[in-house]
Structures are given as C-alpha cells and as structure tokens.
C-alpha cells in the first residue's frame, strides 16, 4: 500500500520560503507523476503543480515564478518550495500521485501538512 | 486559470439520485476527457471517485458515475446514502498543461 507523508515547518514568516517534503513509502516514485495541492482553511482545493519522476514539472499559472518542485528518486521523496510567501499561502498542503501517464485522477494522497504564514 | 464552476450545495433524500455539475471552458473541460471527481469528508484528504470523465477506480461504489457534455462535466450519485454526505470537487486538465479544480459542492443527505 502506497503511503505519502508530508512534512515541514508549520509556521513560516511573510516574505520567507516555504519548504515541504513528501516521503513516499510502500512504492516507488519512479514511473509516476506526482502533484502538490493546497487547501486554505475552510476553502477549496488549489492545484499547485505536478512533477514527473524524471524531474519534468508543470506549475500553476498563478504560482509560476514562486514555486519549484523536485524529486529524489534515490530516497523516494518529493520537495516543494514556495518563495516570498504571504498570508494567502496559509493552507493545508497535500502531495498526491497520478496512477498513470494517461490518468487525470490522483489516486493516493497524503494526510496534508498545515502551513501558517504569520509573523 | 479560473476555477471550474460547481453549485455550492446539492441535497437529496436517502435512496434518491443527485447530480453535481462542473462547468469550465473549451480550454479545459470541453477540450479534454481528463476530468476527475473527488470526495472529501471533513478533516480528511480527498478521495478519487472518478477519473478521465467516467472511469471508476477499483473500490469505488458503482453508485457513482461521471459524464461530460460540451464544457460541463457531471457526477451522479444514485441511491444516495448517509455516508455520501461530503464535499465534492471536480478537476480538469487544461490547455496550459496545468490542472484546475472546481469550486466544490457540499452534498447534504436529508
């Protein structure tokens, strides 16, 4: 059973960088696309971007320029960096997996990590 | 990229069928058969219910079905049950090589 676990600091100061990790267990990162999604408190889902295990990434137009994703296939984890954060970046951040290149749906999700942007 | 439009809420009685709409544009929903639907219970991660417009992952009840016509995709829940009460989100691939989620729909079982 594939399991995803997000981790990172729960509190980030405005204008600083948010850095999160998603550790994948019970399966390999290799062969799949992976995605980061966020959800502000009481709000809806927002797609941040996705990344192929080869490192090819695509980002949300609204976050492009501030977001970077990477993969470490040796240690089986993904990373997300978001620079110059503001209060609007406060959200529950999820990582998730696309089961195949031709599937639009995310079949495995982590439990999410809450990140609050505040001084 | 604007969020796809969903009704804020839909309700139905146990045993009834309900349909949730998801309206986009020709650059997303209308242009690709890459629409997915997710169910999210409070304080839980989303759960994939439908992918590629109408494909149901293993383990998902056949009471859930998806379809699409033009720029609007739909999720139908038949034989509504109390456990179906949750938030539902659609998602679509876009011409910008990105994905976009819908605004979300709260389903209430009366």
């Amino acid at each position: 059973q594939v399991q995803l676990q997000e981790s990172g600091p729960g509190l980030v100061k405005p204008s600083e960088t948010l850095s999160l990790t998603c550790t994948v267990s019970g399966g390999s990162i290799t062969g799949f696309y992976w995605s980061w999604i966020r959800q502000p408190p009481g709000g809806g889902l927002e797609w941040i971007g996705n990344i192929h295990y080869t490192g090819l990434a695509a980002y949300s137009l609204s976050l492009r320029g501030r977001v970077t994703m990477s993969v470490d296939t040796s240690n089986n984890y993904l990373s997300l960096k978001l620079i110059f954060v503001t209060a609007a970046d406060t959200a529950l951040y999820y990582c998730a997996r696309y089961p195949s290149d031709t599937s639009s749906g995310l079949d495995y999700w982590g439990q999410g990590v809450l990140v609050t942007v505040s001084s | 990229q604007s969020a796809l439009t969903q009704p804020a809420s839909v309700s139905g009685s146990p045993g009834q069928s309900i349909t949730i709409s998801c309206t986009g544009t020709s650059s997303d929903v209308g242009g690709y058969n890459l629409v997915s639907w997710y169910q999210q219970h409070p304080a839980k991660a989303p759960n994939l219910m439908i992918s590629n417009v109408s494909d149901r992952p293993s383990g998902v009840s056949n009471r859930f079905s998806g379809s699409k016509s033009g720029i609007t995709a739909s999720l139908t829940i038949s034989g509504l049950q109390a456990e179906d009460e949750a938030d539902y989100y659609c998602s679509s691939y876009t011409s910008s090589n990105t994905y976009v989620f819908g605004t979300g729909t709260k389903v209430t079982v009366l």
Side-chain angles (χ1 to χ4, degrees):
Chain A
Q1 176 81 351
V2 176
Q3 292 188 313
L4 287 70
Q5 180 67 59
E6 305 88 349
S7 60
L11 182 64
V12 181
K13 290 183 168 53
S15 81
E16 295 191 346
T17 297
L18 180 161
S19 295
L20 298 176
T21 296
C22 172
T23 302
V24 179
S25 58
S28 176
I29 279 186
T30 301
F32 297 97
Y33 277 93
W34 304 85
S35 187
W36 287 93
I37 302 98
R38 68 182 183 179
Q39 185 170 33
L45 301 173
E46 180 185 6
W47 186 84
I48 298 172
N50 64 19
I51 186 165
H52 193 238
Y53 73 98
T54 57
L56 182 66
Y59 303 127
S60 161
L61 296 180
S62 64
L63 295 174
R64 203 166 290 178
R66 290 204 297 135
V67 62
T68 304
M69 296 178 186
S70 60
V71 294
D72 184 327
T73 54
S74 298
N75 295 296
N76 234 34
Y77 71 86
L78 323 167
S79 296
L80 171 72
K81 289 191 190 306
L82 185 64
I83 64 174
F84 303 129
V85 297
T86 70
D89 296 310
T90 293
L92 187 61
Y93 284 76
Y94 294 102
C95 58
R97 188 193 81 165
Y98 293 95
S100 73
D101 288 2
T102 57
S103 173
S104 62
L106 294 157
D107 63 345
Y108 285 101
W109 293 65
Q111 285 306 299
V113 60
L114 180 62
V115 178
T116 301
V117 178
S118 174
S119 55
Chain B
Q1 184 71 52
S2 298
L4 307 174
T5 301
Q6 298 180 232
S9 62
V10 173
S11 62
S13 299
Q16 286 187 329
S17 291
I18 62 170
T19 296
I20 304 168
S21 61
C22 169
T23 301
T25 69
S26 58
S27 296
D28 38 63
V29 175
Y32 309 90
N33 289 325
L34 293 172
V35 175
S36 299
W37 289 91
Y38 300 89
Q39 176 192 67
Q40 187 179 33
H41 287 110
K44 297 289 189 183
N47 186 39
L48 179 65
M49 307 304 284
I50 296 287
S51 63
N52 297 2
V53 176
S54 58
D55 292 342
R56 203 171 39 248
S58 173
V60 173
S61 170
N62 59 10
R63 298 185 298 105
F64 292 84
S65 62
S67 62
K68 190 186 85 165
S69 178
I71 62 171
T72 299
S74 300
L75 174 71
T76 298
I77 308 175
S78 58
L80 199 62
Q81 299 180 0
E83 68 206 49
D84 300 331
E85 188 161 291
D87 293 327
Y88 291 82
Y89 294 90
C90 61
S91 172
S92 175
Y93 179 74
T94 84
S95 59
S96 300
N97 190 33
T98 62
Y99 281 83
V100 61
F101 281 99
T103 50
T105 298
K106 182 177 181 60
V107 168
T108 301
V109 181
L110 302 172

